Amino acid sequence: MEQYEPDRLTPPQVAAIRRSFRNGRAALSRRSLLRASAGGALAVGGLGALSGCGIPAAGQTQGGTAVQDHSAKEKVVNFSNWPEYIDVDDSGKHHPTLEAFTRQSGIQVKYTEDINDNNEFFGKIKPQLAAGQDTGRDLIVLTDWLAARLIRLGWAQKLDPSNLPHAYTNLSAQFRNPDWDPGRAHSYPWQGIATVIAFNKKALDGIEVKSVSDLLDNPKLKGRVGFLSEMRDSIGMTLLDMGKDPAKFTDDDFDAVIARLQKAVDKGQIRRFTGNDYTSDLTKGDLAACVAWGGDIVQLKADSPDVDYIIPDSGYMTSTDNMLIPNKARHKTNAERLIDFFYQPDQAAALADYINYVSPVEGIKPYLAKIDKSAADNPLIIPDKAMAAKSHPFRSLTQREETAYEEKFAKLTGA
């Protein structure tokens, strides 16, 4: 187990947090931006505390530990997730899948949308985890790189396979064995996130875009190209374009990508690095083409006939948001039962139909087709074998690598 170092956040890490709050996933949930139902700006509380003070030293606690499991007597599970990242009925007051789980199991779900940003949420829970205390949460959803950190630190509990028969059977092959959690011993994906190339057909006006090279090198697209402000997405897609494996790259490979992107920045090829706000520019045609998140494009295509996407021959990046049970959670078995519930194909289909991201559950297509055939046939929601074979994860990083890479990427993007 990795020894936790209670250092202050480095300047590159603070810059990464500020990018996320300003225009990344913390600025607006992807669904609130596109569905425009509840929506609204999210609070930026906690950033000052994260950047202005150190984190308390880690206590002497054993990793992957639990208090006595109270699941049998306390029929409840405390579930923390991102805003608008679960199905909601027309009234906006009920979550049909969670209510179905309660009817099926007798377990009440206390559902809280209190994860607005990975770094901010980590700052919120790590003093408790480092001190060996219960966070008050039984199940949390974190993006793969932060899930990897919790597992390295020994702050996520090992799952009991006997409570996860559907999850074990139905987990899609492309998500089964990440390098940061071999065999999914501590985590299961909530949803997958595909990074693709999106374009506005009207803005392209006949210009062909099939690769990252087209984005970076075609002078006809000068000033009308966008890349994402999320390092792993933009770097990963460019690594693939350069014939490198994002799961195995070296420092030299990373530097070569930075140099290539810097050249495109210097000559004005790249308009800007964006978070979710690229969707507006793409729809209007201010961006002719960009690196984009697949879940956004599903929605944009439904609203705009000009928007479409391609999967480069070199492949595309896939990341995951993952369910984990933190140390000292009171209701571990109940949390495992909830994880397993979402791996029942009918429930996974209901979730996928609302969220429109990559479902990690095999066998949901016929169930989803009964709800929405176009969704069932969309490879951005249910990848076919050919598309799944072209997906690539970004390898886990050491603390040294993460600090160094974020610093170089922040300089590139002007963050």
Side-chain angles (χ1 to χ4, degrees), residues 90-300:
D90 291 340
S91 74
K93 298 179 180 179
H94 302 280
H95 302 297
T97 52
L98 293 183
E99 292 180 1
F101 171 73
T102 297
R103 290 193 300 270
Q104 189 178 107
S105 67
I107 299 168
Q108 295 289 330
V109 182
K110 183 180 179 182
Y111 186 74
T112 309
E113 296 180 333
D114 61 345
I115 305 178
N116 296 324
D117 173 77
N118 284 291
N119 281 302
E120 183 243 4
F121 187 72
F122 183 58
K124 184 187 300 183
I125 64 174
K126 69 179 170 182
Q128 296 164 296
L129 291 171
Q133 299 171 352
D134 180 11
T135 66
R137 300 168 178 86
D138 301 307
L139 191 63
I140 57 179
V141 176
L142 300 176
T143 304
D144 42 23
W145 61 267
L146 183 53
R149 185 185 299 172
L150 258 68
I151 293 168
R152 283 200 313 268
L153 293 168
W155 291 350
Q157 294 190 51
K158 192 170 184 179
L159 301 174
D160 183 349
S162 67
N163 292 326
L164 298 160
H166 295 97
Y168 180 81
T169 300
N170 297 329
L171 176 61
S172 175
Q174 74 180 100
F175 299 120
R176 278 193 176 269
N177 201 38
D179 67 346
W180 48 270
D181 189 21
R184 289 289 179 182
H186 303 84
S187 69
Y188 270 88
W190 174 250
Q191 295 291 289
I193 304 168
T195 304
V196 300
I197 293 177
F199 55 87
N200 183 306
K201 288 179 279 188
K202 186 176 181 180
L204 284 180
D205 192 24
I207 300 171
E208 189 174 68
V209 170
K210 291 187 175 181
S211 67
V212 169
S213 288
D214 291 332
L215 298 184
L216 295 175
D217 300 332
N218 190 332
K220 294 181 180 179
L221 296 178
K222 183 177 179 179
R224 298 191 295 145
V225 167
F227 276 71
L228 291 168
S229 59
E230 296 293 336
M231 178 188 73
R232 289 164 176 80
D233 294 312
S234 289
I235 295 293
M237 290 293 282
T238 312
L239 280 166
L240 287 170
D241 189 71
M242 296 171 69
K244 302 295 183 179
D245 185 349
K248 299 177 181 178
F249 69 91
T250 65
D251 285 352
D252 288 343
D253 295 332
F254 186 92
D255 289 344
V257 170
I258 291 291
R260 188 177 185 202
L261 292 173
Q262 186 66 61
K263 182 179 178 181
V265 169
D266 292 344
K267 68 181 182 181
Q269 185 77 5
I270 297 176
R271 181 184 181 91
R272 62 193 183 103
F273 290 83
T274 72
N276 294 93
D277 48 333
Y278 72 83
T279 55
S280 175
D281 288 347
L282 183 63
T283 302
K284 291 186 296 184
D286 292 340
L287 286 176
C290 62
V291 177
W293 287 306
D296 291 345
I297 304 309
V298 172
Q299 293 299 316
L300 291 181

Side-chain angles (χ1 to χ4, degrees), residues 36-54:
S37 51
L42 298 173
V44 191
L47 180 57
L50 281 173
S51 59
C53 64

Side-chain angles (χ1 to χ4, degrees), residues 1 62-66 153-158 186 327-328 332:
M1 182 178 67
Q62 196 67 25
T65 57
L153 293 168
W155 291 350
Q157 294 190 51
K158 192 170 184 179
H186 303 84
N327 277 6
K328 300 301 181 74
K332 180 175 184 286

